[in-house]
Amino acid sequence: MAKRSHHSYLIVGGAGYIGSHVVKALVERGDQVVTLDDLSKGHRAAVSGGQFITGDLGDRQLLGEIFTTTPIDCVMHFGAYIEVGESVHKPLEYYRNNTAKTTDLLLAMKEHGVDRFILSSTAAVYGEPQRMPIEETDPTAPTNPYGHSKAFIEQILHDAEAAHDLRYVALRYFNAAGADPSGTIGEAHHPESHLIPLVLQVPLGQRDHIAIFGTDWPTPDGTCVRDYIHVNDLAEAHILAAQRLLDGGDSATYNLGCETGYSVKTIIDLAREVTGHAIPAQEAPRRPGDSATLVASSARIKAELGWTPQYDDPKAIIETAWRWHQGHPRGYEGGGD
Ligand code: UDP
């Protein structure tokens, strides 16, 4: 990649799945990294370098201390609750964490003159889109509290930018998957809710089948279609987005996906190929809050930031996930690290 100068980053939620891959990429590039994570979901062992602080993203006093001690060029925020199904049952927790506490983080940034921000947003802001692939200019209409919690914070960023010096990039992730090819960090949610790690629990001997949530969706094989993107390609997009802001660029919103959709059944078949295991599947009811199909157009970030995904094949993505899970069958709690 192009030569770039070094900067200092606060990575909120950097002990989580995607944040930990961004921390690793930044540390490897020689940037200064401070990770803030309350470890409610994240893992200390996932943070591969830089300074680590245990704390809450809504703790403005702690944030003030961080911003006073370390000049921060850019804040990246990964510290959100992320489960669509759970958000339907626990909306208030989602709005408090993903919207209210993020507003506290933005207030602390404003108080201390920190004015560049990268948001982990989501394809869930689009709800049940009218056309595929989805472009950033398409209407947002979330179908679940998780998507709303992110759409609200995008609106808050838009308003804060108009009133203050803030500049931001909102990155609307499609389906993050895979693991760093080193096999040292990867996805470790407790409980796990995402398709690929759950499928891989079958060959790991941790579940006897995978449930397919709905086979009557209006898709070619009746199962939901998603656009899977490798976590390191997401990490690279964050670094490019930060560089845009650090170079004086304007705020922006970008989709991040590989621009091809794969059904739940196809993902299970690919996992069978990768693992050599039969992986029994059982049909189950639809999961509340799901959309039939979510596929990105990522043309905007490709054109504006030169982002190109290195992994555009879900089988290669599943292979990296399988390497991580085989080496760490219990995630970060024992079993290999
Ligand atoms: N899914 C499934 N069985 C599972 C977990 C997920 O059929 O055990 C489906 C889910 O309904 C969705 C797709 O897999 O259609 C991807 O779900 P995931 O939770 O990984 O990501 P999301 O699309 O919700 O961000």
Side-chain angles (χ1 to χ4, degrees), residues 175 193-195 198 210-213 224 226 228 264 287 290:
N175 284 63
S193 70
H194 292 113
L195 179 64
L198 285 173
I210 182 73
I212 299 176
F213 296 150
C224 288
R226 295 288 182 273
Y228 294 86
V264 171
R287 186 175 65 176
D290 266 343

Side-chain angles (χ1 to χ4, degrees), residues 82-85 122-124 144 146 173-177 187 192-199 207 209-214 217 223-228 262-265 267-268 282 284-294:
I82 55 161
E83 288 179 38
V84 166
T122 171
N144 55 66
Y146 169 62
Y173 308 165
F174 282 63
N175 284 63
E187 193 163 8
E192 188 53 74
S193 70
H194 292 113
L195 179 64
I196 291 175
L198 285 173
V199 169
R207 66 176 55 235
H209 72 277
I210 182 73
I212 299 176
F213 296 150
W217 293 94
T223 67
C224 288
V225 169
R226 295 288 182 273
D227 181 343
Y228 294 86
Y262 295 90
S263 73
V264 171
K265 281 186 175 168
I267 293 295
I268 296 169
Q282 283 180 17
R286 290 183 178 192
R287 186 175 65 176
D290 266 343
S291 307
T293 303
L294 292 171

Side-chain angles (χ1 to χ4, degrees), residues 130-168:
Q130 301 303 308
R131 59 170 190 170
M132 292 294 152
I134 306 167
E135 294 179 12
E136 292 86 347
T137 47
D138 287 352
T140 56
T143 52
N144 55 66
Y146 169 62
H148 277 296
S149 75
K150 294 286 189 171
F152 287 145
I153 202 69
E154 284 195 11
Q155 180 65 48
I156 289 166
L157 284 168
H158 177 81
D159 295 342
E161 185 209 32
H164 312 298
D165 288 333
L166 179 75
R167 279 176 298 124
Y168 69 92

Side-chain angles (χ1 to χ4, degrees), residues 22-210:
V22 174
V23 168
K24 183 169 187 285
L26 289 172
V27 168
E28 285 173 357
R29 285 163 160 80
D31 286 312
Q32 186 181 0
V33 177
V34 179
T35 296
L36 173 68
D37 198 298
D38 67 0
L39 298 180
S40 62
K41 307 274 185 190
H43 309 276
R44 179 67 185 84
V47 183
S48 52
Q51 186 187 355
F52 182 78
I53 297 168
T54 310
D56 189 305
L57 79 108
D59 183 344
R60 281 166 62 186
Q61 188 179 339
L62 174 62
L63 288 163
E65 286 164 20
I66 294 169
F67 292 140
T68 308
T69 316
T70 313
I72 296 290
D73 296 315
C74 181
V75 175
M76 297 187 186
H77 176 30
F78 301 90
Y81 296 159
I82 55 161
E83 288 179 38
V84 166
E86 183 185 61
S87 80
V88 174
H89 303 295
K90 296 184 176 177
L92 299 179
E93 286 83 347
Y94 272 68
Y95 291 126
R96 176 160 181 261
N97 194 64
N98 295 3
T99 312
K101 286 190 182 182
T102 302
T103 309
D104 284 327
L105 170 61
L106 292 167
L107 274 168
M109 288 174 59
K110 174 172 164 277
E111 281 161 16
H112 293 85
V114 180
D115 58 7
R116 281 165 279 214
F117 185 78
I118 311 285
L119 177 73
S120 301
S121 190
T122 171
V125 298
Y126 295 111
E128 197 67 73
Q130 301 303 308
R131 59 170 190 170
M132 292 294 152
I134 306 167
E135 294 179 12
E136 292 86 347
T137 47
D138 287 352
T140 56
T143 52
N144 55 66
Y146 169 62
H148 277 296
S149 75
K150 294 286 189 171
F152 287 145
I153 202 69
E154 284 195 11
Q155 180 65 48
I156 289 166
L157 284 168
H158 177 81
D159 295 342
E161 185 209 32
H164 312 298
D165 288 333
L166 179 75
R167 279 176 298 124
Y168 69 92
V169 176
L171 296 174
R172 293 176 175 165
Y173 308 165
F174 282 63
N175 284 63
D180 188 76
S182 68
T184 57
I185 55 174
E187 193 163 8
H189 298 116
H190 300 293
E192 188 53 74
S193 70
H194 292 113
L195 179 64
I196 291 175
L198 285 173
V199 169
L200 295 177
Q201 285 179 1
V202 181
L204 286 171
Q206 296 172 359
R207 66 176 55 235
D208 57 18
H209 72 277
I210 182 73

